Amino acid sequence: MLNPNIRKQFPVLKHIENGHELVYLDNTATTHKPLRVIERMTKFYTHQNATVHRGVYGLSQSATDYCEEARKKVQTFIKAKHEEEIIFVKGTTEAINLVAESFGRFHLKKGQEILITEMEHHANIVPWQQLCIKHGCTLQVAPIKDNGELNLEAWKAGINKNTGLVAFTHVSNALGTTNPVQEMCDFAKAAGVAVLIDGAQAMSHIEVDVQALNCDFYAFSAHKMHGPTGIGVLYGKHELLKIMPPYQTGGDMIDVVTFEKTTFAVPPARFEPGTPAIAEIIGLGETIDFLTEIGLNNIFHHEHTLLNYANIKLKEIKGLRIIGEAKEKNAIVSFVLDDIHPHDAGTILDTEGIAVRVGHHCAQPLMKRLEVPATIRASFSMYNTLEEVDKLVAGIKKIQGIML
Amino acid sequence: MLNPNIRKQFPVLKHIENGHELVYLDNTATTHKPLRVIERMTKFYTHQNATVHRGVYGLSQSATDYCEEARKKVQTFIKAKHEEEIIFVKGTTEAINLVAESFGRFHLKKGQEILITEMEHHANIVPWQQLCIKHGCTLQVAPIKDNGELNLEAWKAGINKNTGLVAFTHVSNALGTTNPVQEMCDFAKAAGVAVLIDGAQAMSHIEVDVQALNCDFYAFSAHKMHGPTGIGVLYGKHELLKIMPPYQTGGDMIDVVTFEKTTFAVPPARFEPGTPAIAEIIGLGETIDFLTEIGLNNIFHHEHTLLNYANIKLKEIKGLRIIGEAKEKNAIVSFVLDDIHPHDAGTILDTEGIAVRVGHHCAQPLMKRLEVPATIRASFSMYNTLEEVDKLVAGIKKIQGIML
Amino acid sequence: MSRSQQLYEAMILDHNKKPRNFSVMDPHTHSSHGKNPLCGDDFYVYISCNDTEIEAISFIGQGCAISKSSGSMMTEMLKGLPIQEALELKESFLEMVSTDISPEKKKSLGKLKVFEGVKDFPARVKCAALVWRALEDALGAKSGETSTE
Amino acid sequence: MSRSQQLYEAMILDHNKKPRNFSVMDPHTHSSHGKNPLCGDDFYVYISCNDTEIEAISFIGQGCAISKSSGSMMTEMLKGLPIQEALELKESFLEMVSTDISPEKKKSLGKLKVFEGVKDFPARVKCAALVWRALEDALGAKSGETSTE
Ligand SMILES: Cc1ncc(COP(=O)(O)O)c(C=O)c1O
Ligand SMILES: Cc1ncc(COP(=O)(O)O)c(C=O)c1O
């Protein structure tokens, strides 16, 4: 396990909720930010604030340098080949929209298919649906097994000569399932199909190597990896980015503008119009330093110790059913309680200071497939402890005491 | 003038650039953030961090409340009728792209015209050009006069029965010209034409009343009004927003998702997919409190005192020509120096600690119209002083001493 | 009594376990479908009324204890009530679950007072309100769909 | 001497005011258009060369003092040089304006050493480099457009 001193980097964990010290188990929704990330942004705003790209003056030059350093840190972190392959966006949602629009519009043909999976987050469903409506493509959905694993054979069978793109999540936010992304990429690339991976739930939990994966696009959000809100990344292969048309347009992404015609800059600038989220980009860079110092392997081990313990303890509770028991999982446990609606469970846990997520987790089709209206989800991060798992278990017993 | 103590809210002004205390005159590019805004965001990240919308637990409920309070503050600040008319976006650039795509695609017909002006920022040119290419519309450009004012008669004559939308800037970032937006809105609305105003340079400098203006859309960026990076606002009339299709899609903007079909939520949620820029939204709310306490009238008076003084002092310099002398201006002065390239001027000013902007100011067509490759631009804000104007004047003399 | 026990009163738990008037009513004169996509609450409300009075009322669907017991007690309370009074009751109920109300109003709500605790749980207000919003919708101009998100 | 005076050496200012070889050359064997949209620097470079040597070279356009004097001194230096040497000089020049280089290399640059100060002004490196990038482009596989943004 990680040194519990790590919690000192996260003062919000001392928050008192309903008379109890916060037990934060909603890390899938958003993660807390270490002090050093917060301090880095504060320092920028307080002493270094300026815009990027354009200033001849020192302050602006430094701001530009900080942002470009952050781009390099992201590059190194996900092992991309070129820093130009790192595009700063608002978050995973925007990243997927960008690909659906820019790659989709120009490289997918009418009649082609887009293959997703039954376990996707709305962010990896709806943009493709919209694309299909606009461009006459068809959305194909690969099924999952009852244990929450992807039905890999069915998924492979879903790829045919009409498949234009496959999009799948690295880790399911609703079930915790970790997909066999390497095998999936190998298969799809061998079939000559473009691949987008929704990495929202993978970053800061498992190592990602986009070159080894050989995926075409990889999307993630800083706020889910202990970084700031308002910033995320789209990784795209340079050979694709450089032929893709711009998504949004405006300043800083152009080469020459006349009223008749505009020529666009090369990537990444082509995809980053307007003033970027400067402080947030710098914060993301600091987040990566923080994560690298702790070591992703150590985080993985810590989180999986919690996951294993939670699995054992939760299964001892009568009337509790875990939803999603894939062999490969991240530290996310979804469950339901007999005769108790998840919403009531969430409210009672809150009165005990325990923050979990209840609902459909932006995965309505998955809930339908699993025939539950909603689940209760506890998700763990580097700062959670075994004692917090015990508190969750006690909280669930309290729920049953009240409601049954 | 404002109390000079206000500078204490902006520690970056104490930054030493090349041995000189920073003279920051690039407020048009981005503004500095008062300590209380920085502190508000730090507090959120340190003690209140959680996601919005979905949590049953207290922390998430509070985060949601803070964001919705910020929405109400924006509503009050620009005097919108409904809080649902305030959509949080990345910035002005994204706001205009959203309208071009969502309103443009569905409400502009082939053969219609979009009227802009010769003084627009690229962010208010290129998205319309792209729209015209995609949908077979024509971009019309109203000319400006040599003094940098809009040729209002020509602009009015540019509106005809084919005009689908007019888009113009409230204040020109390159020249400082303040457009007669009320008269323009009155005229366009009387002709039944939709109006978008690019308010990037107006916010925090002049009062904006979107109901009085009766414009359909108003776009601005927080970072240009002493707020955080990564956040901005699109104001849209509710009657339009509610019939506009979504722009980006994903979580939190949907009603029901199935693999076959998705129905979308009502505004503003429909236009805010994914996890929002939570800390930045809260920071924007605090910015508005800060501005309201100082009073926009006081800011206006302070900035115009600086503008008038700068005008007098700069005109005394031989070989200096001010570009843009509209009667109504914000505190922005663009100028060129005989036989000295703006870029060289910018570098020498930087060695004196004076940060100005040199270049085309993301307004290449305007530079072409004015027959200058670039200008030197000094722009003033609430924290600038008369002494700083004097330093600018001394800096310019130094440039001439070196270069001529 | 803990905070959560204050919310989950015995009466609420009883109506959750044994919801009254929990069935489809066919034929009916008015109906509406109320749903809360975020948490999956999903109910239909059916009403049979003459010009002035609610003659019969039922509901069916699925949801949390708060939404289900709210539906159950609503149907119990409204049966036989003049439409006007039903709508007034709805107003008072919606007011009570979101803010402090006057003792007289509270009294008028009768046993619905057990939902008073909801106002301390802002995330749950929409659960309590859902079936009442559906009622409003059913009796209003348009009979159709409603949502408390 | 102030920092800015270090950058704007007398020789640079002289070439800025009186640029040498500042004209269109027609015919030519190679040419390229170099521009820097952000600050408006915009130059054409023309070269006439045989298989091995630069016989004539000129440039024309508009830009800041750094870019213009860089063009002027480049043309002066390269005239009559073997192509191979010209390209080596270009490499050394680009290295010098962006980082510290060895004394030998610096020596090989001759009077181009006046541009050494540029490396302390990161925003201006692209100005000094522009015409050299255009040269590279003109002599390279593709003759066309280049940009230092
Ligand atoms: C007039 C005007 N419009 C639009 C923009 C674009 O704003 P942002 O870069 O914040 O999206 C700017 C800022 O550069 C501007 O000055
Ligand atoms: C798997 C997955 N994909 C996409 C998203 C969307 O991320 P964001 O809201 O940061 O855009 C999320 C987060 O909710 C997620 O868990």
Side-chain angles (χ1 to χ4, degrees):
Chain A
M1 311 271 311
L2 291 171
N3 186 332
N5 271 335
I6 204 169
R7 290 175 69 89
K8 297 212 178 105
Q9 275 284 321
F10 302 91
V12 67
L13 299 173
K14 294 237 164 273
H15 175 80
I16 301 298
E17 188 76 61
N18 291 316
H20 304 271
E21 194 172 281
L22 177 67
V23 176
Y24 186 77
L25 302 178
D26 194 16
N27 292 289
T28 308
T30 202
T31 52
H32 293 306
K33 328 304 175 199
L35 277 178
R36 66 181 271 190
V37 169
I38 304 171
E39 281 160 8
R40 180 67 194 91
M41 289 190 283
T42 303
K43 180 172 168 192
F44 174 75
Y45 276 135
T46 316
H47 299 295
Q48 306 171 326
N49 180 61
T51 194
V52 295
H53 291 324
R54 294 163 299 190
V56 277
Y57 52 91
L59 211 59
S60 170
Q61 201 62 45
S62 304
T64 310
D65 292 345
Y66 301 141
C67 285
E68 293 313 311
E69 281 160 24
R71 197 188 299 278
K72 286 202 196 90
K73 287 176 191 180
V74 174
Q75 180 203 344
T76 309
F77 194 63
I78 64 169
K79 305 195 177 58
K81 196 161 175 187
H82 308 287
E83 57 186 281
E84 294 84 359
E85 298 180 319
I86 307 304
I87 297 177
F88 290 121
V89 293
K90 261 193 295 195
T92 311
T93 302
E94 172 160 87
I96 299 174
N97 276 270
L98 192 164
V99 175
E101 181 71 18
S102 171
F103 180 78
R105 277 179 78 88
F106 288 82
H107 298 273
L108 295 182
K109 317 253 163 315
K110 204 177 147 153
Q112 280 195 312
E113 296 175 2
I114 296 164
L115 178 65
I116 61 172
T117 84
E118 236 171 13
M119 72 174 89
E120 300 308 316
H121 185 280
H122 293 163
N124 206 20
I125 302 174
V126 191
W128 305 117
Q129 271 180 340
Q130 294 296 103
L131 172 71
C132 287
I133 295 170
K134 281 195 213 157
H135 301 293
C137 298
T138 322
L139 192 66
Q140 300 292 345
V141 186
I144 59 165
K145 301 192 239 173
D146 287 340
N147 72 351
E149 280 176 14
L150 180 66
N151 183 331
L152 195 59
E153 292 318 305
W155 180 81
K156 286 182 181 172
I159 294 182
N160 59 51
K161 63 175 183 357
N162 278 327
T163 310
L165 180 136
V166 294
F168 50 83
T169 195
H170 195 150
V171 174
S172 155
N173 67 308
L175 305 177
T177 310
T178 305
N179 278 317
V181 286
Q182 186 68 58
E183 185 177 348
M184 294 168 81
C185 285
D186 290 347
F187 188 87
K189 293 315 295 176
V193 172
V195 175
L196 175 139
I197 301 181
D198 172 352
Q201 294 302 337
M203 297 307 290
S204 87
H205 304 293
I206 37 184
E207 296 218 24
V208 173
D209 180 335
V210 291
Q211 281 190 79
L213 287 172
N214 192 24
C215 58
D216 298 287
F217 302 103
Y218 195 98
F220 58 94
S221 305
H223 75 95
K224 292 186 195 278
M225 55 187 279
H226 308 288
T229 51
I231 187 73
V233 169
L234 172 66
Y235 159 82
K237 269 190 198 156
H238 191 65
E239 62 198 72
L240 290 176
L241 291 181
K242 96 189 164 205
I243 55 171
M244 280 161 59
Y247 172 54
Q248 298 182 335
T249 56
D252 297 324
M253 52 75 72
I254 52 86
D255 184 10
V256 178
V257 177
T258 67
F259 286 126
E260 291 73 40
K261 184 169 180 293
T262 294
T263 52
F264 299 106
V266 294
R270 185 187 300 160
F271 299 101
E272 296 180 347
T275 309
I278 303 172
E280 293 72 25
I281 290 173
I282 295 171
L284 172 57
E286 190 74 17
T287 307
I288 288 175
D289 288 345
F290 171 78
L291 293 171
T292 308
E293 278 178 31
I294 300 181
L296 285 185
N297 274 331
N298 297 327
I299 296 173
F300 183 90
H301 182 254
H302 179 90
E303 292 176 355
H304 276 72
T305 305
L306 294 170
L307 175 65
N308 295 337
Y309 184 67
N311 264 324
I312 294 169
K313 285 289 169 183
L314 290 175
K315 282 186 185 161
E316 288 169 10
I317 298 175
K318 250 193 89 188
L320 183 149
R321 181 160 64 95
I322 291 180
I323 308 284
E325 299 204 77
K327 257 171 262 111
E328 297 289 329
K329 276 188 70 168
N330 262 19
I332 297 171
V333 195
S334 247
F335 58 93
V336 291
L337 297 169
D338 289 349
D339 301 321
I340 298 171
H341 192 279
H343 220 165
D344 297 312
T347 293
I348 296 173
L349 289 178
D350 178 46
T351 63
E352 302 294 308
I354 302 168
V356 296
R357 175 85 175 281
V358 298
H360 56 56
H361 318 296
C362 288
Q364 289 181 4
L366 176 61
M367 296 293 117
K368 215 170 146 190
R369 157 70 177 82
L370 298 167
E371 294 175 351
V372 289
T375 75
I376 306 157
R377 183 187 68 191
S379 49
F380 302 97
S381 182
M382 60 171 80
Y383 34 68
N384 291 119
T385 64
L386 295 169
E387 293 72 48
E388 290 181 324
V389 176
D390 291 335
K391 286 186 185 171
L392 172 65
V393 170
I396 293 169
K397 291 191 174 146
K398 173 139 193 189
I399 300 167
Q400 293 179 321
I402 292 174
M403 298 297 296
L404 294 182
Chain B
M1 311 273 308
L2 292 171
N3 185 331
N5 271 334
I6 203 169
R7 290 176 68 90
K8 298 214 178 102
Q9 276 283 320
F10 302 90
V12 68
L13 299 174
K14 294 237 164 273
H15 175 81
I16 301 298
E17 188 76 61
N18 291 316
H20 303 270
E21 194 172 283
L22 177 68
V23 176
Y24 187 77
L25 302 178
D26 194 16
N27 293 288
T28 308
T30 202
T31 52
H32 293 306
K33 329 303 176 199
L35 278 178
R36 66 181 272 192
V37 169
I38 304 170
E39 282 160 6
R40 180 67 193 91
M41 288 190 284
T42 302
K43 180 173 169 194
F44 174 74
Y45 276 134
T46 316
H47 300 295
Q48 304 171 326
N49 180 62
T51 195
V52 296
H53 290 323
R54 294 162 298 188
V56 278
Y57 52 91
L59 212 58
S60 169
Q61 202 62 45
S62 305
T64 309
D65 291 346
Y66 300 141
C67 284
E68 292 313 311
E69 280 161 23
R71 198 188 299 277
K72 286 202 196 90
K73 287 176 191 181
V74 174
Q75 180 203 345
T76 310
F77 193 62
I78 64 169
K79 305 194 175 61
K81 196 160 176 188
H82 309 287
E83 57 185 279
E84 294 84 359
E85 298 180 320
I86 307 304
I87 297 176
F88 290 120
V89 293
K90 261 193 298 193
T92 311
T93 302
E94 173 161 85
I96 297 174
N97 275 271
L98 192 164
V99 176
E101 181 70 17
S102 171
F103 180 77
R105 276 178 79 87
F106 288 81
H107 299 273
L108 295 181
K109 316 255 162 315
K110 204 176 147 155
Q112 279 195 312
E113 296 174 4
I114 296 164
L115 178 64
I116 62 171
T117 83
E118 235 169 12
M119 72 174 88
E120 300 308 316
H121 186 278
H122 293 164
N124 206 19
I125 301 174
V126 191
W128 306 117
Q129 270 180 341
Q130 294 296 103
L131 173 71
C132 286
I133 294 170
K134 281 195 213 156
H135 302 292
C137 298
T138 322
L139 191 68
Q140 301 290 344
V141 186
I144 59 165
K145 301 194 239 173
D146 287 339
N147 72 351
E149 280 176 12
L150 180 66
N151 183 330
L152 196 60
E153 292 319 304
W155 180 81
K156 286 181 180 172
I159 294 180
N160 59 51
K161 63 175 185 358
N162 278 328
T163 310
L165 179 136
V166 294
F168 50 83
T169 195
H170 196 151
V171 174
S172 156
N173 66 308
L175 305 177
T177 310
T178 305
N179 279 316
V181 286
Q182 186 68 57
E183 186 177 346
M184 293 168 81
C185 286
D186 290 348
F187 188 86
K189 295 314 296 174
V193 172
V195 175
L196 175 139
I197 301 181
D198 172 352
Q201 294 301 338
M203 297 307 290
S204 88
H205 305 293
I206 38 185
E207 297 219 22
V208 173
D209 180 336
V210 291
Q211 281 189 79
L213 287 172
N214 192 23
C215 56
D216 298 286
F217 303 102
Y218 195 97
F220 59 94
S221 307
H223 75 95
K224 291 186 195 278
M225 55 186 281
H226 308 287
T229 51
I231 187 73
V233 169
L234 172 66
Y235 159 82
K237 271 191 196 156
H238 191 65
E239 61 198 73
L240 289 175
L241 292 181
K242 96 187 165 208
I243 55 170
M244 279 161 59
Y247 173 53
Q248 299 182 335
T249 55
D252 297 323
M253 50 77 72
I254 53 84
D255 185 9
V256 177
V257 176
T258 67
F259 286 125
E260 292 72 41
K261 184 169 180 289
T262 294
T263 52
F264 298 107
V266 295
R270 185 188 300 163
F271 299 101
E272 296 179 347
T275 309
I278 304 173
E280 294 72 26
I281 290 172
I282 295 171
L284 172 57
E286 190 74 18
T287 307
I288 288 175
D289 288 344
F290 170 78
L291 293 171
T292 309
E293 277 176 32
I294 300 180
L296 285 184
N297 274 332
N298 297 326
I299 295 172
F300 183 91
H301 183 253
H302 179 89
E303 292 177 355
H304 276 73
T305 306
L306 295 169
L307 175 66
N308 295 337
Y309 184 66
N311 264 324
I312 293 168
K313 286 289 170 184
L314 290 175
K315 283 187 184 158
E316 287 169 9
I317 299 176
K318 249 194 88 189
L320 183 150
R321 182 160 63 95
I322 291 180
I323 308 284
E325 300 204 78
K327 256 173 259 109
E328 297 290 329
K329 275 187 72 167
N330 262 20
I332 296 170
V333 195
S334 248
F335 58 93
V336 291
L337 297 170
D338 289 349
D339 300 322
I340 299 171
H341 192 279
H343 220 163
D344 298 312
T347 293
I348 297 173
L349 288 177
D350 177 46
T351 63
E352 302 293 307
I354 302 168
V356 296
R357 174 84 176 278
V358 297
H360 56 58
H361 318 298
C362 288
Q364 289 180 6
L366 175 62
M367 295 294 116
K368 214 169 146 190
R369 157 70 176 84
L370 297 166
E371 294 175 351
V372 288
T375 76
I376 306 157
R377 182 187 70 190
S379 50
F380 303 97
S381 182
M382 59 170 80
Y383 36 65
N384 291 117
T385 64
L386 295 170
E387 293 72 49
E388 290 181 323
V389 176
D390 291 334
K391 286 184 186 173
L392 172 66
V393 169
I396 294 169
K397 291 189 173 146
K398 172 137 193 193
I399 299 167
Q400 293 179 321
I402 291 176
M403 299 296 297
L404 295 182
Chain C
M1 205 161 68
S2 77
R3 262 192 86 216
S4 45
Q5 280 159 337
Q6 262 162 41
L7 176 64
Y8 294 100
E9 283 237 4
M11 200 189 288
I12 288 183
L13 293 174
D14 178 61
H15 277 265
N16 177 43
K17 279 181 209 157
K18 290 175 295 198
R20 328 293 199 259
N21 308 307
F22 195 59
S23 61
V24 178
M25 182 166 73
D26 217 359
H28 54 262
T29 58
H30 298 74
S31 77
S32 177
H33 181 193
K35 61 194 167 19
N36 182 341
L38 275 198
C39 55
D41 292 346
D42 191 327
F43 290 98
Y44 290 84
V45 171
Y46 302 94
I47 306 167
S48 274
C49 58
N50 58 29
D51 277 1
T52 55
E53 211 182 86
I54 295 180
E55 296 176 327
I57 174 166
S58 76
F59 83 117
I60 191 89
Q62 61 178 353
C64 63
I66 304 295
S67 59
K68 195 188 271 182
S69 58
S70 177
S72 175
M73 291 174 69
M74 174 182 85
T75 55
E76 275 202 339
M77 290 287 285
L78 296 192
K79 182 159 186 211
L81 231 57
I83 294 173
Q84 196 46 46
E85 275 181 44
L87 291 173
E88 278 163 27
L89 208 62
K90 176 211 74 183
E91 281 307 316
S92 305
F93 182 85
L94 294 179
E95 201 179 332
M96 175 185 71
V97 295
S98 51
T99 178
D100 289 323
I101 57 167
S102 64
E104 304 85 68
K105 262 204 188 140
K106 206 185 288 181
K107 215 170 145 205
S108 78
L109 281 162
K111 64 182 179 183
L112 291 173
K113 276 205 300 283
V114 292
F115 288 97
E116 207 189 337
V118 170
K119 74 165 185 296
D120 299 326
F121 293 83
R124 307 308 300 279
V125 172
K126 58 182 185 300
C127 305
L130 182 62
V131 288
W132 293 88
R133 291 277 180 212
L135 170 87
E136 177 177 42
D137 181 63
L139 293 177
K142 51 168 187 20
S143 171
E145 303 239 327
T146 185
S147 155
T148 49
E149 274 316 300
Chain D
M1 205 161 68
S2 76
R3 260 192 88 215
S4 46
Q5 279 158 338
Q6 263 162 38
L7 176 64
Y8 294 100
E9 282 237 5
M11 200 190 289
I12 288 182
L13 293 175
D14 177 61
H15 278 265
N16 178 44
K17 278 181 209 155
K18 290 176 297 202
R20 328 295 199 259
N21 308 307
F22 196 60
S23 61
V24 178
M25 181 166 75
D26 218 357
H28 53 263
T29 59
H30 298 74
S31 75
S32 177
H33 181 192
K35 60 195 168 18
N36 182 340
L38 275 199
C39 55
D41 293 346
D42 191 327
F43 289 99
Y44 289 83
V45 172
Y46 302 94
I47 306 168
S48 275
C49 58
N50 57 31
D51 278 359
T52 55
E53 211 183 85
I54 295 180
E55 296 177 329
I57 174 165
S58 76
F59 83 117
I60 191 90
Q62 60 178 354
C64 63
I66 304 295
S67 59
K68 195 189 271 183
S69 58
S70 176
S72 175
M73 290 174 69
M74 175 181 84
T75 54
E76 275 201 338
M77 290 288 285
L78 296 192
K79 187 163 177 208
L81 231 56
I83 293 174
Q84 196 45 44
E85 275 182 43
L87 290 173
E88 277 163 26
L89 208 62
K90 177 212 74 185
E91 282 305 316
S92 304
F93 182 86
L94 294 179
E95 202 180 330
M96 176 186 68
V97 295
S98 51
T99 177
D100 289 323
I101 56 167
S102 65
E104 304 84 67
K105 261 199 190 147
K106 207 185 288 178
K107 217 172 143 204
S108 77
L109 282 162
K111 66 183 179 182
L112 290 173
K113 279 204 298 283
V114 293
F115 287 98
E116 208 189 337
V118 170
K119 75 165 184 296
D120 299 326
F121 293 82
R124 307 307 300 280
V125 172
K126 59 183 185 296
C127 306
L130 182 61
V131 289
W132 292 88
R133 291 273 181 218
L135 171 86
E136 177 176 42
D137 181 62
L139 294 177
K142 52 170 187 18
S143 171
E145 303 238 324
T146 187
S147 156
T148 49
E149 271 320 300

Coordinates of all heavy atoms in Angstrom, one line a residue, chain A residues 54 274-275, chain B residues 91-93 121 123 169 171 173 198 200-201 221 223-224, ligand 1:
Chain A
R54 N 1.9 34.4 -28.5 CA 2.0 35.6 -29.4 C 2.8 36.7 -28.8 O 3.3 37.6 -29.5 CB 0.6 36.1 -29.6 CG -0.2 35.1 -30.5 CD -1.6 35.4 -30.4 NE -2.2 35.3 -29.1 CZ -3.4 35.3 -28.8 NH1 -4.3 35.4 -29.7 NH2 -3.8 35.2 -27.5
G274 N -8.2 29.6 -30.5 CA -8.5 30.5 -29.4 C -7.5 30.4 -28.3 O -6.6 29.6 -28.4
T275 N -7.7 31.2 -27.2 CA -6.8 31.2 -26.1 C -7.0 29.8 -25.4 O -8.1 29.5 -25.0 CB -7.1 32.3 -25.2 OG1 -7.1 33.5 -26.0 CG2 -6.1 32.4 -24.1
Chain B
G91 N -14.6 29.5 -24.3 CA -14.3 30.9 -24.5 C -15.1 31.4 -25.7 O -15.9 30.7 -26.2
T92 N -14.7 32.6 -26.1 CA -15.4 33.3 -27.2 C -15.4 32.4 -28.4 O -16.4 32.3 -29.2 CB -14.7 34.6 -27.5 OG1 -14.6 35.4 -26.2 CG2 -15.6 35.5 -28.4
T93 N -14.2 31.9 -28.7 CA -14.0 31.1 -29.9 C -15.0 29.9 -30.0 O -15.7 29.7 -31.0 CB -12.6 30.6 -30.0 OG1 -11.7 31.7 -30.0 CG2 -12.3 29.8 -31.3
H121 N -12.1 39.9 -35.4 CA -11.1 39.0 -35.0 C -11.3 37.7 -35.8 O -12.4 37.3 -36.2 CB -11.3 38.7 -33.5 CG -10.2 37.9 -32.8 ND1 -10.3 36.5 -32.9 CD2 -9.2 38.2 -32.1 CE1 -9.2 36.0 -32.2 NE2 -8.5 37.0 -31.7
A123 N -11.7 34.8 -34.9 CA -12.7 34.0 -34.2 C -14.1 34.3 -34.7 O -15.0 33.5 -34.7 CB -12.6 34.1 -32.7
T169 N -18.3 42.6 -33.8 CA -17.6 42.7 -32.5 C -18.2 43.9 -31.8 O -18.5 44.9 -32.4 CB -16.1 42.8 -32.7 OG1 -15.5 42.6 -31.4 CG2 -15.7 44.2 -33.2
V171 N -16.4 45.5 -29.4 CA -15.2 46.4 -29.3 C -14.1 45.7 -30.2 O -13.9 44.5 -30.0 CB -14.7 46.6 -27.9 CG1 -13.4 47.3 -27.9 CG2 -15.7 47.3 -27.0
N173 N -10.6 44.4 -31.0 CA -9.4 44.2 -30.2 C -8.1 44.8 -30.9 O -7.2 45.1 -30.2 CB -9.1 42.7 -30.1 CG -8.8 42.0 -31.4 OD1 -9.6 42.1 -32.4 ND2 -7.7 41.3 -31.5
D198 N -19.8 39.6 -30.7 CA -18.5 39.1 -30.1 C -18.1 40.1 -29.0 O -17.7 41.2 -29.3 CB -17.4 39.0 -31.2 CG -16.0 38.7 -30.6 OD1 -15.9 38.7 -29.4 OD2 -15.1 38.5 -31.5
A200 N -15.9 39.7 -26.6 CA -14.6 39.4 -25.9 C -14.0 40.6 -25.3 O -13.4 40.6 -24.2 CB -13.7 38.7 -26.9
Q201 N -14.0 41.8 -26.0 CA -13.3 43.0 -25.6 C -14.2 43.9 -24.8 O -13.7 45.0 -24.4 CB -12.6 43.7 -26.7 CG -11.5 42.8 -27.4 CD -10.4 42.5 -26.4 OE1 -10.2 43.1 -25.4 NE2 -9.7 41.4 -26.7
S221 N -15.2 35.7 -23.1 CA -14.2 34.8 -22.4 C -13.9 35.4 -21.0 O -13.6 36.6 -20.9 CB -12.9 34.8 -23.2 OG -13.0 34.5 -24.5
H223 N -11.2 34.9 -19.3 CA -9.8 35.3 -19.1 C -9.5 36.8 -19.6 O -8.5 37.3 -19.2 CB -8.8 34.4 -19.8 CG -8.7 34.5 -21.3 ND1 -7.8 35.3 -21.9 CD2 -9.5 34.0 -22.3 CE1 -8.0 35.2 -23.2 NE2 -9.0 34.4 -23.5
K224 N -10.4 37.3 -20.3 CA -10.2 38.7 -20.8 C -11.0 39.7 -19.9 O -11.1 40.9 -20.2 CB -10.7 38.9 -22.2 CG -9.8 38.1 -23.2 CD -10.3 38.4 -24.6 CE -9.7 37.5 -25.6 NZ -8.3 37.9 -26.1
Ligands
LIG1 C1 -12.6 40.6 -30.4 C2 -12.1 39.2 -30.0 N1 -12.9 38.1 -30.4 C3 -12.6 36.9 -30.0 C4 -11.4 36.6 -29.3 C5 -11.1 35.1 -29.0 O1 -11.2 34.9 -27.6 P1 -10.7 33.5 -27.0 O2 -9.3 33.4 -27.5 O3 -10.7 33.8 -25.5 O4 -11.6 32.4 -27.5 C6 -10.6 37.6 -28.9 C7 -9.4 37.4 -28.2 O5 -8.3 37.2 -28.7 C8 -11.0 38.9 -29.3 O6 -10.2 40.0 -28.9

